Amino acid sequence: MNFLCIYNRFYIIAKISKVLGGAKTFFGIYALAAFLPVCITVKKEYRIISYVLVMFLYLTSLYTTGLNIIKQAAAVSICFYGLRYVYSRQLGRYILTIVVAMLFHASAAIAIVNYFLWSKYRRNISLKTAFLVIIGSIVLAFAFRKILQVLTTFSVFSKFAIYIESEIMANNNLIFVHMLVFVFLFLIKKPMISMDRRNALLYLLVLIGICLEFSGFFVIYVKRIAMYFYDIPSIVLLAQTPLLIRGKEKTIMYAGVLIFGISLFVIQFAILGHAHVIPYRI
């Protein structure tokens, strides 16, 4: 595998990897880039949540499936790290974080909208906000090719020109699982936001992600953009659910979330066949 040519944007990393062990080392470095930002963010920003539970859910979902699209998985992880600057309203640092994420995958630029969805005074999600988010997501999905035609005039996005005329379809069955998760989280939205008002932003991101995933039935590339919105925010929300319960029921809830993580892993790999990823075949 001539990974030096494929990943020339990180030529130095590829060179170091070749000396230390080749492709396995190279993918290991990328896997670390996909892991550490989430690890650090959860540890510093969500201290009341079970760190073990969050990381378990992450390792059995996006992290593992992301090894098939390792550059984008790293970009998604870095964008999640950037949410700390959204919460603290540091636009400059957030933009810098997005730029770093774009070095891994140019599609990370879409995450810039997250900054404008958050207000420290938000304690709920109004119907108007939800409606605008849904309409915006639908417009993005259907205007995807038009938007690409404009973006690909800039060199940083030029390689995405091949997607403008592409008609590749993909298995989108996982959206039904994600819909069940969203419905469950929506039913407990009020106490979740009361517990941590930052969850209002996570709910909005999950809603955007679900809307974009629907486009996976006809445009696979828009579905992949949904990763920046749904995957990690839904994990963080799920990991908080045991905190709503006290006593023995809390332990049961904790176990239920763990079982969900294992079940999702089995569904993705054993049933839907998402296991054909490069690092596992070297």
Side-chain angles (χ1 to χ4, degrees):
M1 179 186 296
N2 189 2
F3 58 95
L4 283 178
C5 296
I6 298 174
Y7 297 97
N8 56 7
R9 184 175 298 177
F10 290 94
Y11 181 78
I12 296 177
I13 295 178
K15 269 289 190 182
I16 295 173
S17 300
K18 187 174 183 180
V19 172
L20 295 179
K24 288 185 179 180
T25 303
F26 180 78
F27 283 114
I29 293 174
Y30 264 90
L32 190 64
F35 178 79
L36 276 183
V38 175
C39 179
I40 294 171
T41 305
V42 171
K43 196 74 172 178
K44 291 187 175 181
E45 295 293 323
Y46 299 94
R47 297 179 181 177
I48 65 171
I49 309 176
S50 170
Y51 178 73
V52 173
L53 184 57
V54 176
M55 297 315 299
F56 176 80
L57 291 174
Y58 178 61
L59 290 173
T60 54
S61 56
L62 176 63
Y63 176 77
T64 310
T65 57
L67 294 177
N68 188 36
I69 45 174
I70 194 66
K71 292 196 294 180
Q72 188 171 5
V76 170
S77 178
I78 294 169
C79 288
F80 175 70
Y81 175 85
L83 287 184
R84 62 192 305 180
Y85 302 124
V86 173
Y87 297 139
S88 60
R89 310 310 292 162
Q90 300 181 67
L91 179 58
R93 291 190 177 186
Y94 184 64
I95 291 177
L96 180 60
T97 304
I98 297 302
V99 170
V100 172
M102 288 177 65
L103 292 176
F104 286 87
H105 206 277
S107 63
I110 191 67
I112 195 67
V113 303
N114 295 354
Y115 188 87
F116 305 99
L117 293 173
W118 166 247
S119 168
K120 63 181 180 180
Y121 303 108
R122 186 186 299 280
R123 295 187 179 276
N124 205 340
I125 301 173
S126 67
L127 289 176
K128 179 181 178 181
T129 301
F131 178 76
L132 290 175
V133 164
I134 292 173
I135 293 300
S137 302
I138 293 174
V139 169
L140 174 61
F142 282 95
F144 173 73
R145 289 185 172 86
K146 294 290 185 181
I147 295 172
L148 270 187
Q149 286 176 350
V150 175
L151 290 178
T152 51
T153 59
F154 301 95
S155 59
V156 67
F157 298 105
S158 59
K159 68 177 183 179
F160 294 106
I162 61 173
Y163 300 153
I164 295 176
E165 301 299 331
S166 176
E167 298 293 340
I168 296 177
M169 302 298 291
N171 188 328
N172 201 31
N173 292 333
L174 195 60
I175 189 175
F176 300 112
V177 177
H178 291 171
M179 279 294 299
L180 290 175
V181 172
F182 176 74
V183 170
F184 168 70
L185 291 173
F186 180 80
L187 292 175
I188 57 174
K189 173 175 64 69
K190 188 173 181 179
M192 288 285 283
I193 295 177
S194 297
M195 180 171 60
D196 187 340
R197 65 175 182 268
R198 296 177 302 176
N199 287 338
L201 174 60
L202 300 183
Y203 268 97
L204 282 176
L205 296 182
V206 170
L207 177 60
I208 293 172
I210 288 293
C211 293
L212 293 178
E213 281 196 25
F214 270 110
S215 67
F217 288 108
F218 53 91
V219 185
I220 183 176
Y221 304 113
V222 178
K223 174 188 172 183
R224 283 180 56 176
I225 291 176
M227 294 172 59
Y228 293 100
F229 301 99
Y230 176 86
D231 290 70
I232 304 180
S234 65
I235 289 171
V236 174
L237 288 173
L238 280 172
Q240 294 180 62
T241 55
L243 299 177
L244 299 176
I245 305 173
R246 296 181 179 180
K248 295 181 180 180
E249 290 79 7
K250 183 175 182 178
T251 303
I252 295 174
M253 188 66 178
Y254 189 96
V257 176
L258 285 174
I259 292 173
F260 170 78
I262 296 172
S263 301
L264 185 60
F265 181 86
V266 172
I267 290 172
Q268 287 179 305
F269 290 87
I271 299 177
L272 298 183
H274 292 180
H276 301 297
V277 292
I278 294 174
Y280 298 159
R281 300 168 67 87
I282 293 178

Short mmCIF file of all heavy atoms in Angstrom, two decimals, residues 118-163:
data_model
loop_
_atom_site.label_atom_id
_atom_site.label_comp_id
_atom_site.label_asym_id
_atom_site.label_seq_id
_atom_site.Cartn_x
_atom_site.Cartn_y
_atom_site.Cartn_z
N TRP A 118 -25.60 28.14 19.45
CA TRP A 118 -25.54 28.09 20.92
C TRP A 118 -25.71 29.47 21.54
O TRP A 118 -25.16 30.46 21.08
CB TRP A 118 -24.21 27.51 21.36
CG TRP A 118 -23.90 27.73 22.83
CD1 TRP A 118 -22.91 28.50 23.35
CD2 TRP A 118 -24.56 27.14 23.95
NE1 TRP A 118 -22.92 28.45 24.71
CE2 TRP A 118 -23.93 27.62 25.12
CE3 TRP A 118 -25.65 26.27 24.09
CZ2 TRP A 118 -24.33 27.26 26.40
CZ3 TRP A 118 -26.05 25.90 25.36
CH2 TRP A 118 -25.39 26.38 26.48
N SER A 119 -26.47 29.52 22.59
CA SER A 119 -26.60 30.70 23.43
C SER A 119 -26.56 30.25 24.88
O SER A 119 -27.25 29.30 25.25
CB SER A 119 -27.91 31.45 23.16
OG SER A 119 -28.14 32.43 24.16
N LYS A 120 -25.74 30.89 25.71
CA LYS A 120 -25.62 30.48 27.11
C LYS A 120 -26.91 30.71 27.88
O LYS A 120 -27.08 30.23 28.99
CB LYS A 120 -24.47 31.22 27.78
CG LYS A 120 -24.64 32.72 27.86
CD LYS A 120 -23.43 33.36 28.53
CE LYS A 120 -23.56 34.87 28.62
NZ LYS A 120 -22.38 35.49 29.27
N TYR A 121 -27.84 31.45 27.25
CA TYR A 121 -29.12 31.71 27.90
C TYR A 121 -30.20 30.71 27.47
O TYR A 121 -31.31 30.74 27.98
CB TYR A 121 -29.59 33.13 27.59
CG TYR A 121 -28.60 34.19 27.99
CD1 TYR A 121 -27.87 34.89 27.04
CD2 TYR A 121 -28.36 34.46 29.34
CE1 TYR A 121 -26.94 35.86 27.41
CE2 TYR A 121 -27.43 35.41 29.73
CZ TYR A 121 -26.72 36.11 28.76
OH TYR A 121 -25.80 37.05 29.13
N ARG A 122 -29.86 29.84 26.52
CA ARG A 122 -30.84 28.87 26.03
C ARG A 122 -31.10 27.79 27.07
O ARG A 122 -30.19 27.12 27.52
CB ARG A 122 -30.35 28.23 24.74
CG ARG A 122 -31.41 27.31 24.10
CD ARG A 122 -30.83 26.57 22.90
NE ARG A 122 -30.39 27.47 21.86
CZ ARG A 122 -31.20 28.04 20.98
NH1 ARG A 122 -32.50 27.81 21.05
NH2 ARG A 122 -30.72 28.84 20.07
N ARG A 123 -32.33 27.62 27.45
CA ARG A 123 -32.70 26.59 28.41
C ARG A 123 -33.74 25.62 27.83
O ARG A 123 -34.24 24.75 28.54
CB ARG A 123 -33.24 27.22 29.70
CG ARG A 123 -32.17 28.03 30.44
CD ARG A 123 -32.66 28.50 31.80
NE ARG A 123 -31.63 29.25 32.49
CZ ARG A 123 -30.66 28.72 33.21
NH1 ARG A 123 -30.59 27.40 33.31
NH2 ARG A 123 -29.76 29.46 33.82
N ASN A 124 -34.05 25.80 26.57
CA ASN A 124 -34.98 24.89 25.91
C ASN A 124 -34.82 25.05 24.40
O ASN A 124 -34.10 25.94 23.94
CB ASN A 124 -36.42 25.17 26.33
CG ASN A 124 -37.30 23.93 26.18
OD1 ASN A 124 -36.96 23.00 25.46
ND2 ASN A 124 -38.42 23.92 26.88
N ILE A 125 -35.50 24.22 23.65
CA ILE A 125 -35.48 24.31 22.19
C ILE A 125 -36.88 24.66 21.74
O ILE A 125 -37.80 23.85 21.87
CB ILE A 125 -35.03 22.98 21.56
CG1 ILE A 125 -33.63 22.60 22.07
CG2 ILE A 125 -35.02 23.08 20.05
CD1 ILE A 125 -33.19 21.23 21.62
N SER A 126 -37.04 25.85 21.24
CA SER A 126 -38.37 26.29 20.81
C SER A 126 -38.76 25.60 19.51
O SER A 126 -37.90 25.10 18.77
CB SER A 126 -38.38 27.81 20.60
OG SER A 126 -37.54 28.17 19.51
N LEU A 127 -40.06 25.57 19.25
CA LEU A 127 -40.55 24.98 18.00
C LEU A 127 -40.00 25.73 16.80
O LEU A 127 -39.70 25.13 15.76
CB LEU A 127 -42.08 24.99 17.99
CG LEU A 127 -42.78 24.02 18.95
CD1 LEU A 127 -44.28 24.22 18.91
CD2 LEU A 127 -42.42 22.58 18.61
N LYS A 128 -39.86 27.05 16.94
CA LYS A 128 -39.32 27.86 15.85
C LYS A 128 -37.89 27.45 15.53
O LYS A 128 -37.53 27.28 14.35
CB LYS A 128 -39.37 29.34 16.24
CG LYS A 128 -38.79 30.27 15.17
CD LYS A 128 -38.84 31.71 15.62
CE LYS A 128 -38.21 32.63 14.56
NZ LYS A 128 -38.23 34.06 15.00
N THR A 129 -37.07 27.27 16.58
CA THR A 129 -35.68 26.87 16.38
C THR A 129 -35.61 25.50 15.73
O THR A 129 -34.84 25.28 14.78
CB THR A 129 -34.92 26.85 17.72
OG1 THR A 129 -34.97 28.15 18.31
CG2 THR A 129 -33.48 26.43 17.52
N ALA A 130 -36.41 24.56 16.24
CA ALA A 130 -36.42 23.20 15.69
C ALA A 130 -36.85 23.22 14.23
O ALA A 130 -36.27 22.52 13.39
CB ALA A 130 -37.35 22.32 16.51
N PHE A 131 -37.87 24.03 13.92
CA PHE A 131 -38.37 24.13 12.55
C PHE A 131 -37.29 24.67 11.61
O PHE A 131 -37.07 24.14 10.52
CB PHE A 131 -39.60 25.04 12.52
CG PHE A 131 -40.16 25.25 11.14
CD1 PHE A 131 -40.91 24.26 10.52
CD2 PHE A 131 -39.93 26.44 10.46
CE1 PHE A 131 -41.42 24.46 9.24
CE2 PHE A 131 -40.43 26.65 9.19
CZ PHE A 131 -41.19 25.65 8.57
N LEU A 132 -36.60 25.73 12.05
CA LEU A 132 -35.55 26.32 11.22
C LEU A 132 -34.40 25.34 11.00
O LEU A 132 -33.82 25.27 9.91
CB LEU A 132 -35.03 27.60 11.89
CG LEU A 132 -35.99 28.79 11.90
CD1 LEU A 132 -35.40 29.95 12.69
CD2 LEU A 132 -36.33 29.24 10.48
N VAL A 133 -34.06 24.58 12.04
CA VAL A 133 -33.00 23.59 11.93
C VAL A 133 -33.37 22.50 10.93
O VAL A 133 -32.57 22.10 10.08
CB VAL A 133 -32.70 22.97 13.31
CG1 VAL A 133 -31.88 21.68 13.16
CG2 VAL A 133 -31.95 23.96 14.19
N ILE A 134 -34.61 22.04 11.00
CA ILE A 134 -35.07 20.99 10.08
C ILE A 134 -35.08 21.50 8.64
O ILE A 134 -34.59 20.83 7.73
CB ILE A 134 -36.48 20.51 10.49
CG1 ILE A 134 -36.40 19.77 11.83
CG2 ILE A 134 -37.07 19.60 9.42
CD1 ILE A 134 -37.77 19.41 12.39
N ILE A 135 -35.62 22.70 8.44
CA ILE A 135 -35.69 23.27 7.09
C ILE A 135 -34.27 23.49 6.54
O ILE A 135 -33.98 23.16 5.38
CB ILE A 135 -36.45 24.61 7.09
CG1 ILE A 135 -37.92 24.37 7.43
CG2 ILE A 135 -36.31 25.30 5.74
CD1 ILE A 135 -38.64 23.48 6.45
N GLY A 136 -33.37 24.02 7.38
CA GLY A 136 -32.00 24.25 6.95
C GLY A 136 -31.30 22.96 6.55
O GLY A 136 -30.56 22.91 5.55
N SER A 137 -31.53 21.90 7.32
CA SER A 137 -30.92 20.60 7.03
C SER A 137 -31.44 20.03 5.71
O SER A 137 -30.69 19.47 4.91
CB SER A 137 -31.20 19.62 8.17
OG SER A 137 -30.70 20.11 9.39
N ILE A 138 -32.75 20.17 5.49
CA ILE A 138 -33.36 19.67 4.25
C ILE A 138 -32.83 20.43 3.03
O ILE A 138 -32.50 19.85 2.00
CB ILE A 138 -34.89 19.78 4.32
CG1 ILE A 138 -35.43 18.83 5.39
CG2 ILE A 138 -35.53 19.48 2.96
CD1 ILE A 138 -36.92 18.96 5.64
N VAL A 139 -32.72 21.75 3.19
CA VAL A 139 -32.18 22.58 2.10
C VAL A 139 -30.76 22.16 1.77
O VAL A 139 -30.37 22.04 0.60
CB VAL A 139 -32.22 24.08 2.47
CG1 VAL A 139 -31.43 24.90 1.46
CG2 VAL A 139 -33.66 24.57 2.54
N LEU A 140 -29.94 21.94 2.83
CA LEU A 140 -28.56 21.51 2.62
C LEU A 140 -28.51 20.18 1.87
O LEU A 140 -27.71 20.01 0.94
CB LEU A 140 -27.84 21.36 3.96
CG LEU A 140 -26.42 20.77 3.91
CD1 LEU A 140 -25.50 21.66 3.10
CD2 LEU A 140 -25.87 20.59 5.33
N ALA A 141 -29.38 19.25 2.24
CA ALA A 141 -29.38 17.94 1.60
C ALA A 141 -29.74 18.04 0.12
O ALA A 141 -29.07 17.44 -0.74
CB ALA A 141 -30.36 17.01 2.32
N PHE A 142 -30.78 18.81 -0.21
CA PHE A 142 -31.25 18.88 -1.59
C PHE A 142 -30.41 19.82 -2.45
O PHE A 142 -30.36 19.67 -3.67
CB PHE A 142 -32.72 19.30 -1.63
CG PHE A 142 -33.67 18.20 -1.30
CD1 PHE A 142 -34.14 18.02 -0.01
CD2 PHE A 142 -34.09 17.30 -2.28
CE1 PHE A 142 -35.01 16.99 0.31
CE2 PHE A 142 -34.95 16.26 -1.98
CZ PHE A 142 -35.42 16.11 -0.68
N ALA A 143 -29.75 20.79 -1.79
CA ALA A 143 -28.93 21.74 -2.56
C ALA A 143 -27.45 21.34 -2.52
O ALA A 143 -26.58 22.14 -2.87
CB ALA A 143 -29.11 23.15 -2.00
N PHE A 144 -27.18 20.10 -2.12
CA PHE A 144 -25.81 19.64 -1.90
C PHE A 144 -24.93 19.86 -3.13
O PHE A 144 -23.84 20.42 -3.05
CB PHE A 144 -25.84 18.16 -1.52
CG PHE A 144 -24.48 17.52 -1.43
CD1 PHE A 144 -23.63 17.82 -0.38
CD2 PHE A 144 -24.06 16.61 -2.39
CE1 PHE A 144 -22.38 17.23 -0.29
CE2 PHE A 144 -22.82 16.01 -2.30
CZ PHE A 144 -21.99 16.32 -1.26
N ARG A 145 -25.41 19.44 -4.29
CA ARG A 145 -24.60 19.54 -5.50
C ARG A 145 -24.39 21.00 -5.93
O ARG A 145 -23.32 21.37 -6.40
CB ARG A 145 -25.24 18.72 -6.63
CG ARG A 145 -25.13 17.22 -6.40
CD ARG A 145 -25.65 16.43 -7.59
NE ARG A 145 -25.38 15.01 -7.44
CZ ARG A 145 -26.16 14.17 -6.78
NH1 ARG A 145 -27.26 14.60 -6.21
NH2 ARG A 145 -25.83 12.89 -6.67
N LYS A 146 -25.42 21.82 -5.76
CA LYS A 146 -25.29 23.25 -6.09
C LYS A 146 -24.24 23.91 -5.20
O LYS A 146 -23.42 24.72 -5.67
CB LYS A 146 -26.64 23.96 -5.92
CG LYS A 146 -27.71 23.51 -6.90
CD LYS A 146 -27.40 23.99 -8.32
CE LYS A 146 -28.54 23.64 -9.26
NZ LYS A 146 -28.25 24.07 -10.66
N ILE A 147 -24.29 23.56 -3.91
CA ILE A 147 -23.32 24.12 -2.96
C ILE A 147 -21.90 23.67 -3.32
O ILE A 147 -20.95 24.46 -3.28
CB ILE A 147 -23.68 23.69 -1.53
CG1 ILE A 147 -25.02 24.31 -1.11
CG2 ILE A 147 -22.58 24.12 -0.54
CD1 ILE A 147 -25.54 23.81 0.21
N LEU A 148 -21.78 22.40 -3.70
CA LEU A 148 -20.46 21.88 -4.09
C LEU A 148 -19.91 22.59 -5.32
O LEU A 148 -18.71 22.82 -5.41
CB LEU A 148 -20.54 20.37 -4.35
CG LEU A 148 -20.28 19.45 -3.16
CD1 LEU A 148 -20.22 18.00 -3.63
CD2 LEU A 148 -19.00 19.81 -2.43
N GLN A 149 -20.80 22.90 -6.24
CA GLN A 149 -20.35 23.60 -7.45
C GLN A 149 -19.70 24.93 -7.11
O GLN A 149 -18.73 25.35 -7.76
CB GLN A 149 -21.54 23.82 -8.39
CG GLN A 149 -22.01 22.55 -9.09
CD GLN A 149 -23.25 22.80 -9.93
OE1 GLN A 149 -23.87 23.85 -9.86
NE2 GLN A 149 -23.61 21.81 -10.74
N VAL A 150 -20.20 25.58 -6.08
CA VAL A 150 -19.61 26.85 -5.63
C VAL A 150 -18.32 26.60 -4.85
O VAL A 150 -17.29 27.23 -5.10
CB VAL A 150 -20.61 27.64 -4.76
CG1 VAL A 150 -19.95 28.91 -4.21
CG2 VAL A 150 -21.85 27.99 -5.57
N LEU A 151 -18.37 25.66 -3.91
CA LEU A 151 -17.23 25.41 -3.04
C LEU A 151 -16.02 24.89 -3.80
O LEU A 151 -14.87 25.22 -3.47
CB LEU A 151 -17.61 24.41 -1.93
CG LEU A 151 -18.57 24.91 -0.86
CD1 LEU A 151 -18.88 23.79 0.13
CD2 LEU A 151 -17.97 26.10 -0.12
N THR A 152 -16.25 24.07 -4.82
CA THR A 152 -15.14 23.46 -5.55
C THR A 152 -14.38 24.46 -6.41
O THR A 152 -13.36 24.11 -7.01
CB THR A 152 -15.63 22.29 -6.42
OG1 THR A 152 -16.74 22.72 -7.22
CG2 THR A 152 -16.04 21.11 -5.57
N THR A 153 -14.85 25.68 -6.47
CA THR A 153 -14.07 26.72 -7.14
C THR A 153 -12.88 27.15 -6.28
O THR A 153 -11.95 27.79 -6.78
CB THR A 153 -14.94 27.96 -7.44
OG1 THR A 153 -15.48 28.48 -6.22
CG2 THR A 153 -16.09 27.59 -8.37
N PHE A 154 -12.91 26.77 -4.99
CA PHE A 154 -11.78 27.03 -4.08
C PHE A 154 -10.92 25.77 -4.02
O PHE A 154 -11.44 24.66 -3.93
CB PHE A 154 -12.29 27.40 -2.69
CG PHE A 154 -13.17 28.62 -2.66
CD1 PHE A 154 -14.55 28.50 -2.69
CD2 PHE A 154 -12.61 29.89 -2.60
CE1 PHE A 154 -15.37 29.62 -2.66
CE2 PHE A 154 -13.42 31.02 -2.58
CZ PHE A 154 -14.79 30.88 -2.61
N SER A 155 -9.63 25.94 -4.05
CA SER A 155 -8.70 24.82 -4.15
C SER A 155 -8.85 23.82 -3.00
O SER A 155 -8.69 22.61 -3.20
CB SER A 155 -7.26 25.33 -4.21
OG SER A 155 -6.95 26.10 -3.06
N VAL A 156 -9.13 24.31 -1.79
CA VAL A 156 -9.21 23.41 -0.64
C VAL A 156 -10.35 22.39 -0.78
O VAL A 156 -10.29 21.30 -0.22
CB VAL A 156 -9.38 24.23 0.67
CG1 VAL A 156 -10.74 24.93 0.70
CG2 VAL A 156 -9.21 23.34 1.89
N PHE A 157 -11.38 22.75 -1.56
CA PHE A 157 -12.51 21.85 -1.76
C PHE A 157 -12.53 21.22 -3.15
O PHE A 157 -13.47 20.51 -3.49
CB PHE A 157 -13.83 22.60 -1.55
CG PHE A 157 -14.02 23.17 -0.18
CD1 PHE A 157 -13.86 24.53 0.05
CD2 PHE A 157 -14.33 22.34 0.89
CE1 PHE A 157 -14.04 25.06 1.32
CE2 PHE A 157 -14.51 22.86 2.16
CZ PHE A 157 -14.36 24.22 2.38
N SER A 158 -11.51 21.49 -3.95
CA SER A 158 -11.52 21.06 -5.35
C SER A 158 -11.66 19.55 -5.54
O SER A 158 -12.28 19.10 -6.50
CB SER A 158 -10.25 21.55 -6.05
OG SER A 158 -9.09 21.03 -5.41
N LYS A 159 -11.11 18.77 -4.59
CA LYS A 159 -11.16 17.32 -4.76
C LYS A 159 -12.57 16.75 -4.64
O LYS A 159 -12.84 15.61 -5.02
CB LYS A 159 -10.24 16.63 -3.75
CG LYS A 159 -10.69 16.74 -2.31
CD LYS A 159 -9.76 15.95 -1.40
CE LYS A 159 -10.24 16.00 0.04
NZ LYS A 159 -9.34 15.22 0.94
N PHE A 160 -13.51 17.57 -4.09
CA PHE A 160 -14.89 17.10 -3.94
C PHE A 160 -15.70 17.27 -5.22
O PHE A 160 -16.89 16.96 -5.24
CB PHE A 160 -15.57 17.85 -2.79
CG PHE A 160 -14.99 17.55 -1.44
CD1 PHE A 160 -14.19 18.48 -0.79
CD2 PHE A 160 -15.22 16.34 -0.83
CE1 PHE A 160 -13.65 18.21 0.45
CE2 PHE A 160 -14.69 16.05 0.41
CZ PHE A 160 -13.90 16.99 1.06
N ALA A 161 -15.06 17.75 -6.27
CA ALA A 161 -15.77 17.95 -7.54
C ALA A 161 -16.32 16.64 -8.09
O ALA A 161 -17.35 16.62 -8.77
CB ALA A 161 -14.83 18.59 -8.56
N ILE A 162 -15.68 15.53 -7.77
CA ILE A 162 -16.13 14.22 -8.28
C ILE A 162 -17.49 13.83 -7.69
O ILE A 162 -18.18 12.97 -8.22
CB ILE A 162 -15.11 13.12 -7.97
CG1 ILE A 162 -14.90 12.97 -6.46
CG2 ILE A 162 -13.80 13.39 -8.66
CD1 ILE A 162 -14.03 11.79 -6.08
N TYR A 163 -17.87 14.46 -6.56
CA TYR A 163 -19.13 14.12 -5.92
C TYR A 163 -20.33 14.82 -6.55
O TYR A 163 -21.48 14.46 -6.29
CB TYR A 163 -19.10 14.49 -4.43
CG TYR A 163 -18.01 13.80 -3.64
CD1 TYR A 163 -17.48 14.40 -2.50
CD2 TYR A 163 -17.53 12.57 -4.03
CE1 TYR A 163 -16.48 13.77 -1.76
CE2 TYR A 163 -16.53 11.93 -3.31
CZ TYR A 163 -16.01 12.53 -2.18
OH TYR A 163 -15.04 11.91 -1.45
#
